[in-house]
Amino acid sequence: SEGGSPPDIDIFTDEPYLYYPRPQLPFYLAGEITLEDLIQYPPDWYEKRGIRMHLQNAVTALHAGEKQVEVADGSTAPYDRLLLANGSSARIPPFKGTDKKGIFTLRSIADAQRIQDYARGVESAIVIGGGLLGLETARALTVLGLRVQIIELFPRLLPIQLDEAGAAVLQRK
């Protein structure tokens, strides 16, 4: 852009919310932070930087030859440069029954809200995964008053971060 003005950047997302750090979702799930605390920047932060947010309007097709994207509302948007930041998705183990009521992943604000709603009617939960997110989610569920069991494929918690001795200390705590 000329004259020092900020660049024009368009961000298309299927999210209904502005950016929030996903590692903070367990704190939101536990009710320890509010939705306003979770959302990192207010709308004017983006405006001041020349960033246009297109919430609930994800890219559905890429037309590289025409240098444009097609978005969920059916419109197209041209681009000079394109960055595809697809993120990741929650891994659901290949178990029978993962399609049943009461099975959740935690990847979004909407996921956390569904878990909160469901947790009001139950006394216990099982968390599959003893990594960082699994342990934080288990802690959040205990804050909500649930008894929680953790199932981990590896023989110790935090298998990537801790050796056997460290994991043993963690498990005792």
Side-chain angles (χ1 to χ4, degrees):
S1 63
E2 296 181 26
S5 63
D8 289 328
I9 298 173
D10 288 279
I11 298 177
F12 295 90
T13 178
D14 60 352
E15 279 278 356
Y17 302 101
L18 295 171
Y19 167 74
Y20 57 92
R22 291 187 195 280
Q24 297 297 309
L25 283 171
F27 302 103
Y28 175 68
L29 172 62
E32 296 168 326
I33 61 173
T34 66
L35 185 58
E36 292 76 26
D37 295 331
L38 184 60
I39 303 297
Q40 199 69 35
Y41 307 109
D44 68 334
W45 184 91
Y46 297 93
E47 293 167 18
K48 288 176 186 173
R49 288 160 177 80
I51 301 170
R52 287 180 298 275
M53 296 298 297
H54 303 269
L55 302 177
Q56 293 182 297
N57 203 15
V59 170
T60 57
L62 170 61
H63 304 290
E66 294 86 29
K67 291 188 84 169
Q68 60 179 261
V69 294
E70 190 173 324
V71 292
D73 69 5
S75 65
T76 59
Y79 64 86
D80 295 319
R81 293 185 201 122
L82 176 68
L83 170 66
L84 298 175
N86 296 333
S88 63
S89 58
R91 184 178 169 276
I92 299 175
F95 302 150
K96 286 184 180 179
T98 57
D99 58 339
K100 296 196 181 304
K101 181 180 176 186
I103 307 294
F104 302 96
T105 59
L106 182 58
R107 286 283 307 149
S108 68
I109 290 171
D111 291 338
Q113 291 167 339
R114 283 190 290 272
I115 294 168
Q116 288 169 333
D117 291 343
Y118 194 83
R120 290 185 187 103
V122 298
E123 296 177 3
S124 63
I126 293 174
V127 173
I128 299 175
L132 286 171
L133 183 58
L135 294 180
E136 287 293 344
T137 301
R139 185 198 64 78
L141 293 170
T142 63
V143 170
L144 294 178
L146 279 65
R147 290 186 320 277
V148 179
Q149 294 181 12
I150 299 169
I151 297 174
E152 171 56 49
L153 172 68
F154 291 94
R156 63 183 187 271
L157 297 174
L158 295 177
I160 294 173
Q161 292 83 4
L162 298 177
D163 61 11
E164 287 184 34
V169 170
L170 175 64
Q171 189 157 344
R172 283 194 301 272
K173 296 242 176 230

